[in-house]
Amino acid sequence: MTPDLAIIGAGPAGLGAAIEARAAGLSVVLVDDQPEPGGQIWRGAGTVPKARRQLMGPDYAKGRAVIDAFHASGAGYLPGHVAWNIEAEPLAIDCAGPGGSRRILPRALLLATGAVERPVPVPGWTLPGVQTAGGLQILMKASGLAAEGAVLAGAGPLLWLLAAQMAAAGAPPLAVVETLPRGRYLGAVRALPGAMRAPGPLAKGLGLIARVLRAGVQVHRGAAALRIDGTDRAEALCFRDASGRDRRLEAQTVGLHMGVVPNQQATRLLRIGHDWDEAQAAFLPRRDGDLRLAPGILMAGDGAGIGGADAAYLEGRLAARLLAGGETGGLRRGIARARAARPFLDRLYHPGAALPGDETVVCRCENVTAGAIRRAARDGAIGPNQAKFLLRAGMGPCQGRTCGPAVAALVAEARGQGMQETGYFRIRPPLKPLPLSVIASAELPLPGTQAAPP
Amino acid sequence: MPGPTPDPVPSAETLPARVDTVVIGGGIIGCCTALELAERGFSVLLCEKGHIGGEQSSRNWGWVRLTHRDPREMELMVESARLWQQLDRRVGAETGYRRCGIAFGFRDEAGRADLEQWLPSLRDYQLPASVASPAELADLFPGMEGGLQGALLNRADGRAEPQKAAPAVARAAQALGATVAAGCAVRSLDISAGRVSGVFTEKGRVACDSVVVAGGAWSRLFLGNAGVELPQLRLRNTVLRTAAVPDGPETTIKHPDFTARRRADGGYTVASVLANRFELTPDSFRLFMKFLPALRNEWRTISFSVGHGFVEAAREPRRWGADQVTPFERCRVLDPDPDRKAIDKVYASLQRAWPAFRGVPVEQYWAGMIDVTPDAVSVISKVEQMPGLVIATGFSGHGFGLGPGAGKLAADLASDARPFTDPANFRLTRFSDGTPIRPISGVARR
């Protein structure tokens, strides 16, 4: 395949870019590992029954129109395809789908690979019944399932959104346990004037919290020392409340959340430079003012820094506009407006510096504890890669997607060095595990060798 | 007598060694398939033995109609009408598409009843069809006599310019990187390990993952050589075009005795099912039983002829190898002789009914071959026994209007995308799996 533009990711950024690029007459193919367009935020929004769409709220429901516009755009679409290898010079993408692996040789590439949830390694987080809040929300979007009597714990806007959605579905959570330290709300007020330039998100957030309280959900603020108890599965969430008392909430389902961070797998694979951003407490890929990571490679959406769905959609359109040519001022102003509340939210929901105790498992795939990582760092592992060599942390099925940020933070702490200096896993293809049959039957040439002429 | 001249399309001098998909046939179906695939980022080679739009795609009546559609085609046609509306913007050229409306006139109660039965299916799709009174007809067609008692009028029906559309679509595909090779017949398929791995053209082999056969009246011959049986006959239809008619009607008229469609040059394309002729060839007898239901419905409007075509077809080889000159290279453009007598009679009826046409000279006559299937519904289908092979042919006189939607569906099948409409109605196996074969709209009864 030889399109003008290849896009990886069918969330708001990828869909916005595909629609805009097709309108400008570019040939487009969009690769996505899900069976339907929408990404995580609009998962299933194009096909779920209207009742469920409404239940999930207006921000979810508006995905429907974008998905319809994408389907009508005439863009090529490879759903259920994992982009498992990306090369920069010359541009090439290998993606594996039901029919085998296919090589795409585009003129330009847009990464719209979005965000992943920050890992929340607390004691007991690997027990059955413990999920991420995002995982619980996906169950609602994709299958219409909401766990009864769940406890949601952590911090971030998603926690409140999910609680409100569960309440609307008739299965309000038993409790929301917020881990923000005392004084955080006051501290964030300094960023409030900026956020008030576009107060929509703040009003929405306050509305969500009000709805959760009205639904009779217990709310505990200022919680610390989260722990999930249970032998074969989750039985209770334990924490220390704001007054210093130990609390225990019986629950079969616990949803953990500490915000989202850019999914670095694709940008790390391409050896793009990354900078530690203390405000978002995340590594962000180095991108110029025209969304460019490298010649011919652009990135739009949360993958380049968390900005939310509205900003991502507009950034996708901006990326296509930059490639096709055209006026960009309106889109840039729209993005700035959509991100106006971000500094306030980043400050309010900053995950802080608390790291898991030595007994806590950090790499779930390979069962590596925080203590083991600290020991490896003290024994001379100067970065996460050495921890990986010594302990296999990051070598399991998730290829470090889940534990990467936590492993890096532990190494940095143990060695008393900054995150920038510590760095991150060196990511190699395949980005996700593949059956050997896919590689055996892949379109030649194999990654790392010369690309075929188009 | 040469047919109308389609707009020129530049042709590639050299062929790529490898593409994702090879499209065989540069008619409206092949061109739309190539454009769809190119827009989706696939590398495409479009091979045409003659020139782009040289056969039925530039010779048809230029109607884009939703009315009188086989219900099995409706979804495909609704999408096609939507795509026609955007086509000029999409290809950056003028294809002449206008929502001019088509009036299907009737002279008596039997005619009215026959036409009114189409109303419910049109309303199912929220299409603005109604029965127009004689007074409304007089507004639409000032001065027309001819004894019409009314007409089924659908303002969503339209027209486009056959000599412009396929070339414009082909040029748009080129602009997106597709290779268009005219004067380049595909001789046969290259099959490896039971699936399509390339094509042998008269200029050499090109490797590919999939092939779309959109060969119009030639598809049966090409597929037969590949061991795939496609029941398909050729129906010859004759058309004439007039000089410009000052203040002529916008709306297309279908009168029981004639049809007239305004052209971009101000003249009219005049045609009639009365100028249809089934060429009897050896295939007619091979396929007689399969086509019996179609013939039973329509035999009154079709005349048969045995001409030198019978002898030619009998001499045509039906099997050949990749290194042999094929019938496609011996006949670059199918250009049958027009049936002047029949079409002159049609034009005389038009002039009798309509003073505005009296004294308007005929500028050109031509004929074209309509490729007909036993149920008058196209085949847009994968071929089960040959992975990588897709057929988009047998449009039975409905292909021009259906072109954009058919190209989209063929592209879906060729690229293993989720088909936008259920392709079951268009599957090849319906002719062999015991499905009752019933023509509903028919070829000629439009």
Side-chain angles (χ1 to χ4, degrees):
Chain A
M1 297 182 79
T2 51
D4 292 330
L5 173 63
I7 301 169
I8 302 178
L15 296 179
I19 294 164
E20 187 78 22
R22 282 294 306 131
L26 301 185
S27 60
V28 175
V29 63
L30 189 152
V31 181
D32 188 52
D33 55 5
Q34 295 300 317
E36 283 174 29
Q40 303 300 351
I41 188 95
W42 292 333
R43 183 188 284 253
T47 47
V48 300
K50 194 172 167 195
R52 197 188 308 165
R53 213 161 55 230
Q54 284 170 341
L55 191 132
M56 299 305 287
D59 284 340
Y60 178 73
K62 73 183 169 195
R64 170 73 183 267
V66 176
I67 289 167
D68 286 349
F70 167 70
H71 281 308
S73 73
Y77 176 41
L78 300 177
H81 279 69
V82 174
W84 58 272
N85 178 47
I86 309 168
E87 291 167 23
E89 299 268 348
L91 267 180
I93 303 150
D94 292 291
C95 52
S101 188
R102 179 179 269 295
R103 179 154 259 239
I104 303 173
L105 303 168
R107 294 223 325 260
L109 166 65
L110 177 71
L111 297 177
T113 40
V116 290
E117 280 187 277
R118 196 189 295 279
V120 192
V122 297
W125 74 307
T126 55
L127 284 169
V130 183
Q131 302 193 48
T132 65
L136 289 175
Q137 197 189 33
I138 283 169
L139 273 180
M140 290 188 74
K141 288 174 182 171
S143 316
L145 296 175
E148 302 212 349
V151 171
L152 309 182
L158 179 63
L159 215 55
W160 296 104
L161 174 62
L162 175 63
Q165 287 167 335
M166 292 174 81
L174 175 70
V176 171
V177 178
E178 203 178 45
T179 56
L180 293 183
R182 255 186 298 183
R184 190 60 82 69
Y185 278 93
L186 273 177
V189 164
R190 270 188 296 160
L192 203 52
M196 292 312 286
R197 284 199 298 135
L202 298 187
K204 243 184 302 191
L206 290 172
L208 290 177
I209 294 173
R211 252 182 290 157
V212 172
L213 291 170
R214 266 204 309 279
V217 177
Q218 297 178 39
V219 173
H220 301 272
R221 294 184 198 265
L226 294 186
R227 184 183 80 234
I228 295 115
D229 276 0
T231 43
D232 297 330
R233 56 165 300 121
E235 289 163 15
L237 175 80
C238 306
F239 60 95
R240 197 170 59 241
D241 72 10
S243 61
R245 270 200 308 153
D246 284 332
R247 305 285 294 251
R248 181 185 163 91
L249 297 172
E250 304 282 329
Q252 299 272 302
T253 304
V254 177
L256 295 175
H257 182 69
M258 284 300 278
V260 295
V261 292
N263 179 355
Q264 304 169 62
Q265 301 295 102
T267 46
R268 292 278 179 185
L269 173 66
L270 282 163
R271 306 290 175 254
I272 304 295
H274 288 68
D275 295 310
W276 178 255
D277 183 279
E278 189 46 46
Q280 296 211 334
F283 283 109
L284 308 186
R286 233 167 268 153
R287 186 175 73 158
D288 73 10
D290 287 339
L291 311 184
R292 227 188 331 256
L293 299 168
I297 305 178
L298 284 73
M299 182 168 233
D302 279 356
I306 306 304
D310 291 346
Y313 171 71
L314 294 173
E315 271 197 6
R317 291 184 51 199
L318 174 61
R321 193 74 67 82
L322 287 165
L323 287 169
E327 203 278 320
T328 59
L331 287 169
R332 288 179 194 273
R333 282 190 294 278
I335 293 165
R337 253 194 319 278
R339 296 184 72 122
R342 193 49 50 180
F344 173 77
L345 293 173
D346 286 344
R347 211 175 271 264
L348 180 60
Y349 291 118
H350 194 280
L355 284 171
D358 279 351
E359 298 307 308
T360 306
V361 170
V362 170
C363 166
R364 291 192 298 196
C365 304
E366 297 290 335
N367 209 29
V368 181
T369 62
I373 294 167
R374 287 191 176 103
R375 269 195 305 283
R378 282 194 294 268
D379 288 351
I382 55 168
N385 284 307
Q386 284 74 22
K388 178 163 87 175
F389 301 152
L390 293 169
L391 304 167
R392 295 190 57 83
M395 288 173 75
C398 90
Q399 290 289 293
R401 222 168 38 250
T402 306
C403 65
V407 173
L410 284 164
V411 173
E413 175 213 49
R415 296 188 62 84
Q417 63 194 29
M419 288 296 285
Q420 185 73 27
E421 193 185 341
T422 303
Y424 196 73
F425 287 140
R426 190 173 177 86
I427 303 298
R428 291 191 178 80
L431 285 181
K432 288 188 180 173
L434 288 177
L436 278 176
S437 62
V438 167
I439 296 176
S441 63
E443 264 185 71
L444 292 173
L446 283 170
T449 65
Q450 270 296 297
Chain B
M1 182 162 311
T5 311
D7 288 351
V9 178
S11 176
E13 292 302 315
T14 53
L15 299 183
R18 162 171 189 94
V19 291
D20 294 316
T21 304
V22 174
V23 178
I24 303 176
I28 188 76
I29 306 296
C31 291
C32 288
T33 306
L35 176 61
E36 280 284 342
L37 288 167
E39 285 175 343
R40 303 180 195 184
F42 291 91
S43 55
V44 183
L45 168 64
L46 174 63
C47 284
E48 161 57 47
K49 65 183 171 44
H51 52 265
I52 296 301
E55 294 188 352
Q56 192 54 21
S57 293
S58 63
R59 292 161 189 256
N60 65 79
W61 301 2
W63 295 22
V64 179
R65 74 196 154 80
L66 292 140
T67 312
H68 248 276
R69 280 283 168 192
D70 193 301
R72 292 167 287 192
E73 284 179 349
M74 271 314 276
E75 267 187 40
L76 198 63
M77 191 56 220
V78 168
E79 177 65 3
S80 294
R82 188 184 75 82
L83 292 170
W84 272 110
Q85 274 191 296
Q86 306 169 345
L87 194 58
D88 284 4
R89 202 165 48 87
R90 181 173 168 207
V91 303
E94 171 73 40
T95 62
Y97 177 70
R98 299 281 182 280
R99 286 215 154 173
C100 59
I102 302 179
F104 299 80
F106 53 84
R107 264 191 301 230
D108 49 30
E109 284 310 304
R112 176 197 292 269
D114 187 45
L115 282 165
E116 278 182 345
Q117 64 179 335
W118 295 96
L119 278 174
S121 76
L122 290 166
R123 287 188 182 141
D124 283 350
Y125 288 92
Q126 286 90 45
L127 291 167
S130 59
V131 175
S133 67
E136 287 171 83
L137 288 186
D139 278 348
L140 288 172
F141 308 106
M144 184 180 73
E145 295 147 24
L148 291 186
Q149 295 298 305
L152 177 65
L153 174 66
N154 184 351
R155 293 187 189 275
D157 285 339
R159 64 166 190 251
E161 296 302 321
Q163 290 93 51
K164 293 186 174 304
V169 173
R171 286 192 302 265
Q174 274 177 327
L176 287 172
T179 307
V180 175
C184 180
V186 174
R187 290 174 169 172
S188 58
L189 301 174
D190 190 8
I191 308 294
S192 331
R195 61 164 296 130
V196 171
S197 62
V199 294
F200 292 105
T201 77
E202 60 182 293
K203 294 177 179 168
R205 179 181 182 273
V206 176
C208 64
D209 294 333
S210 60
V211 167
V212 178
V213 177
W218 297 90
S219 301
R220 172 173 166 79
L221 195 59
F222 181 86
L223 290 166
N225 184 51
V228 177
E229 165 68 16
L230 172 78
Q232 181 192 40
L233 290 180
R234 293 172 174 185
L235 177 70
R236 179 171 55 141
N237 181 258
T238 300
V239 173
L240 65 78
R241 77 176 167 89
T242 70
V245 180
D247 303 321
E250 263 299 301
T251 305
T252 301
I253 177 72
K254 192 223 171 264
H255 185 282
D257 299 333
F258 58 81
T259 73
R261 188 266 302 177
R262 189 181 171 86
R263 303 167 52 85
D265 58 21
Y268 282 76
T269 295
V270 175
S272 170
V273 295
L274 300 171
N276 278 350
R277 200 166 278 269
F278 251 116
E279 305 281 315
L280 292 183
T281 63
D283 267 349
S284 315
F285 299 98
R286 290 188 194 110
L287 296 171
F288 181 75
M289 288 309 289
K290 278 212 177 337
F291 277 84
L292 204 54
L295 296 174
R296 207 174 319 166
N297 267 357
E298 300 199 41
W299 66 272
R300 271 188 214 85
T301 58
I302 299 173
S303 49
F304 294 87
S305 71
V306 182
H308 58 111
F310 187 95
V311 185
E312 271 174 28
R315 277 212 303 253
E316 227 170 43
R318 298 171 68 215
R319 287 282 194 276
W320 55 84
D323 51 354
Q324 282 172 291
V325 174
T326 59
F328 316 119
E329 292 147 80
R330 280 193 290 272
C331 176
R332 294 283 173 181
V333 177
L334 191 55
D335 186 29
D337 292 332
D339 186 345
R340 294 269 305 248
K341 223 167 82 186
I343 195 69
D344 278 338
K345 221 156 80 185
V346 169
Y347 193 39
S349 312
L350 169 58
Q351 289 174 314
R352 254 196 317 282
W354 209 336
F357 282 84
R358 285 174 204 160
V360 176
V362 174
E363 292 283 334
Q364 194 180 10
Y365 295 92
W366 66 79
M369 283 295 184
I370 298 174
D371 53 327
V372 181
T373 64
D375 55 5
V377 169
S378 53
V379 175
I380 310 171
S381 176
K382 294 191 182 190
V383 177
E384 277 169 22
Q385 71 268 30
M386 207 173 285
L389 179 60
V390 173
I391 300 174
T393 198
F395 283 83
S396 308
H398 314 167
F400 185 64
L402 281 173
K408 184 172 177 175
L409 181 57
D412 286 346
L413 297 179
S415 62
D416 283 318
R418 190 184 313 175
F420 78 87
T421 181
D422 185 354
N425 288 324
F426 310 109
R427 72 192 192 283
L428 176 65
T429 49
R430 68 184 189 269
F431 300 121
S432 53
D433 65 6
T435 306
I437 296 302
R438 267 194 311 271
I440 295 179
S441 73
V443 182
R445 296 171 61 233
R446 48 183 160 185

